[in-house]
Amino acid sequence: MEISLILLILIVPIASSILSLIEKFRMQEISTLSSSIIETMLSILILQNVKSSALVFADDEFAVDYLSAIMIFALSLLYFAASIFSIGYIEHEIMIGEISKERKRLFYSLLNVFIFTMLLVVTTNNIVVMWIAIEATTIASTFLVGIYNKPESLEASWKYLILCSVGLSFSLYGTILFYSISYQAGLTKPWLYSSILNSSNLFSNYISMIKLIFIFLLVGFGTKAGLVPLHAWLPDAHSEAPAPVSALFSGILIECSMYVLMRYYGIMVAVGLGSFVRYIFLIIGLLSMFIASMLMITARDVKRLLAFSSIEQMGIIACGLGFGSYIGIIGAVFQLISHTLIKGSLFLSSGAIMNIYNTRNINRIRGIIKASPVLGTLVLLGMLGIVLCPPFSTFYSGLFVVMSGAEENNLAGIITMIALLVIAFAALVWKFSNMLFGKPSTESNWKIRVWVWLPILLLISLSLIIGIYPGLIWSYLENAAKEVLL
């Protein structure tokens, strides 16, 4: 069962990518949607099987524990939602001449490859393969950012490729150094994450080197996670990519990088560098929240506004790691899946908004609720979720992070974080209120169809469900936090 689950979860999107190159029978939509349904079903099976023990494959080269299972589930849900949304969205883009039919095949094929690379990140137990997989997400998604083949999208894709590759070169150096000292420490499998974690007592002579390695890793993977000050690629890539790709970027790609940082965070705690890494994460988290909040106030592009919000949300996760208590780690893990659901819904909504108004300019978008009551209601709910309003799951994940600061008696950190959350709340409510209410700024014949509202409603509903009934996933959150703090 373990072998079949791990293999299938990786093979299915690759098979879908190949099938998407077939031109006839709407094979792109059929294969991608079918793949996303299968992946979602497999992710549920993995959640069930991981309760007994971690799933392993290929002599421990691949391993899925609670944290991995949560990531796979979140990724699969967003994959499913994006696949539904893409059916009509890409057809609309073809109809208005934004994308050719040839590029449609490329879009779906690369979308599935992109999914595969992210799944590889969260299933591999090999630190070298983990780095390769993160870099592979960059290569696959670069072409998706530039799919429109316009100067703006091509510039954004190159900026994304160069900045992330430069950043990830630091994490490559850190990965190689970690392998080297693991080998010198006498580990039989110095490339396996689990081997390094379980042999943390052997690294007492390498503490200074491990501090340097962590800085390299943080710079590299922090770049891909969109943490300040290496966040410059994120707003451009998110704003120029097609809406389903933006949803995957913000909803799960940057979370994959935070997942990798969580893994290394666990190693740092195990070798006795907990205080060192917590201080760094807290500073970077608060700095990310501050910069993102300021940028949200001045944002004029709806997709860039959402991208800045993603930086802020990653800052909340970093603060959870920075405060460092058990409840803080639970909050950080909870925030991973909560952000996936809410931000995914909002980026999909942004695609529908652009179909109605033919612009991303916030100042030219007015009266969404009157222009499309269904879409307007979904956007309103998404806004409430992203500003951490109860009973959305984002409220509880943010609350747990704040509670962690209280447990650690970090009054300055709590006050600063709450102040930044208030600024972000005010900026987002202000911007969204202007777009949602008032007289519609356009008269459009575009009608919201099931492929638009269904995936958005699915994501928002799931956020509400796990917010109202957190017990549904509480055991997974607790065990994932224990894995990080082992």
Side-chain angles (χ1 to χ4, degrees):
M1 175 63 75
E2 293 178 2
I3 293 177
S4 61
L5 286 177
I6 294 178
L7 276 179
L8 282 174
I9 205 79
L10 294 172
I11 290 174
V12 169
I14 289 297
S16 178
S17 176
I18 295 170
L19 290 173
S20 294
L21 297 174
I22 299 175
E23 186 174 358
K24 298 180 180 180
F25 312 118
R26 295 182 69 92
M27 186 57 72
Q28 297 85 16
E29 294 93 334
I30 293 171
S31 64
T32 301
L33 182 57
S34 299
S35 173
S36 67
I37 293 172
I38 293 171
E39 292 290 83
T40 304
M41 294 171 63
L42 288 172
S43 70
I44 294 172
L45 286 175
I46 287 174
L47 285 172
Q48 291 297 319
N49 280 268
V50 81
K51 289 180 179 180
S52 302
S53 62
L55 280 66
V56 294
F57 172 58
D59 198 21
D60 291 342
E61 292 292 329
F62 294 90
V64 174
D65 56 12
Y66 280 95
L67 182 57
S68 300
I70 289 172
M71 290 295 296
I72 292 170
F73 181 61
L75 198 163
S76 299
L77 285 174
L78 191 53
Y79 179 28
F80 176 55
S83 298
I84 298 173
F85 189 87
S86 295
I87 293 172
Y89 181 83
I90 296 301
E91 286 301 317
H92 179 268
E93 297 297 274
I94 292 173
M95 183 181 66
I96 64 176
E98 291 290 335
I99 293 179
S100 65
K101 291 185 178 180
E102 291 74 18
R103 283 190 170 263
K104 172 186 172 183
R105 283 185 292 166
L106 179 64
F107 169 83
Y108 278 105
S109 183
L110 287 173
L111 181 69
N112 286 288
V113 172
F114 184 36
I115 295 296
F116 164 77
T117 58
M118 290 188 288
L119 285 168
L120 185 59
V121 171
V122 298
T123 56
T124 184
N125 190 34
N126 186 317
I127 61 172
V128 177
V129 174
M130 190 180 291
W131 180 89
I132 293 171
I134 286 287
E135 180 62 24
T137 64
T138 305
I139 297 170
S141 55
T142 293
F143 294 100
L144 289 169
V145 174
I147 198 74
Y148 287 119
N149 203 29
K150 293 181 176 180
E152 298 85 1
S153 60
L154 292 175
E155 179 184 350
S157 63
W158 275 108
K159 185 176 182 179
Y160 166 57
L161 177 64
I162 292 171
L163 289 179
C164 285
S165 295
V166 169
L168 287 172
S169 65
F170 284 91
S171 59
L172 173 61
Y173 189 40
T175 301
I176 293 171
L177 285 175
F178 223 132
Y179 171 85
S180 175
I181 65 169
S182 298
Y183 179 80
Q184 292 176 35
L187 274 67
T188 55
K189 294 183 178 180
W191 59 88
L192 294 184
Y193 165 80
S194 58
S195 178
I196 295 171
L197 185 64
N198 295 329
S199 305
S200 57
N201 60 305
L202 300 178
F203 293 101
S204 57
N205 295 327
Y206 303 95
I207 296 300
S208 297
M209 177 60 73
I210 291 176
K211 286 183 178 180
L212 179 62
I213 289 172
F214 174 74
I215 297 300
F216 283 127
L217 294 170
L218 182 61
V219 169
F221 295 121
T223 299
K224 198 64 183 283
L227 293 173
V228 171
L230 302 168
H231 63 287
W233 66 270
L234 193 145
D236 290 339
H238 283 57
S239 61
E240 296 301 331
V245 177
S246 297
L248 289 168
F249 263 50
S250 195
I252 199 66
L253 174 62
I254 57 178
E255 279 85 349
C256 283
S257 295
M258 288 302 299
Y259 161 88
V260 175
L261 288 174
M262 281 186 177
R263 291 299 192 188
Y264 281 108
Y265 176 92
I267 294 175
M268 297 300 120
V269 172
V271 300
L273 291 176
S275 297
F276 171 73
V277 296
R278 285 167 186 154
Y279 177 78
I280 294 175
F281 268 114
L282 184 58
I283 294 300
I284 289 179
L286 292 174
L287 183 61
S288 296
M289 292 180 68
F290 171 73
I291 296 298
S293 298
M294 296 301 105
L295 291 171
M296 280 189 276
I297 293 173
T298 60
R300 297 181 180 179
D301 183 306
V302 62
K303 293 182 76 175
R304 292 179 74 88
L305 174 67
L306 295 174
F308 295 143
S309 170
S310 294
I311 298 171
E312 183 236 359
Q313 297 287 308
M314 292 305 101
I316 293 174
I317 295 174
C319 285
L321 298 173
F323 289 130
S325 72
Y326 179 52
I327 193 67
I329 304 302
I330 289 178
V333 176
F334 201 3
Q335 181 67 8
L336 285 175
I337 188 170
S338 298
H339 183 254
T340 295
L341 298 173
I342 288 297
K343 191 55 64 66
S345 75
L346 283 171
F347 265 111
L348 294 181
S349 299
S350 73
I353 291 170
M354 290 167 58
N355 285 345
I356 295 175
Y357 293 90
N358 295 313
T359 183
R360 301 196 309 256
N361 192 322
I362 293 173
N363 295 325
R364 294 170 58 189
I365 300 172
R366 293 290 184 272
I368 298 175
I369 284 184
K370 288 185 178 179
S372 178
V374 175
L375 178 62
T377 301
L378 292 173
V379 172
L380 177 60
L381 290 172
M383 179 205 74
L384 293 175
I386 207 61
V387 297
L388 313 189
C389 282
F392 288 95
S393 57
T394 47
F395 169 77
Y396 297 100
S397 57
L399 177 63
F400 294 154
V401 172
V402 174
M403 288 170 59
S404 177
E407 280 190 3
E408 298 299 313
N409 296 315
N410 193 331
L411 184 60
I414 294 172
I415 292 174
T416 304
M417 181 178 175
I418 292 176
L420 294 173
L421 286 173
V422 170
I423 295 172
F425 175 93
L428 287 166
V429 170
W430 170 39
K431 298 288 184 179
F432 273 100
S433 296
N434 288 338
M435 291 188 287
L436 284 166
F437 303 109
K439 182 180 179 181
S441 54
T442 185
E443 293 185 6
S444 174
N445 294 323
W446 186 84
K447 302 296 183 182
I448 185 168
R449 303 185 188 279
V450 65
W451 56 264
V452 175
W453 62 259
L454 180 60
I456 299 171
L457 178 63
L458 170 67
L459 297 173
I460 291 175
S461 298
L462 287 171
S463 178
L464 282 169
I465 289 170
I466 62 175
I468 296 171
Y469 304 106
L472 293 172
I473 62 168
W474 188 252
S475 64
Y476 292 97
L477 297 175
E478 285 187 318
N479 284 288
K482 290 175 183 177
E483 290 166 354
V484 174
L485 288 174
L486 181 65

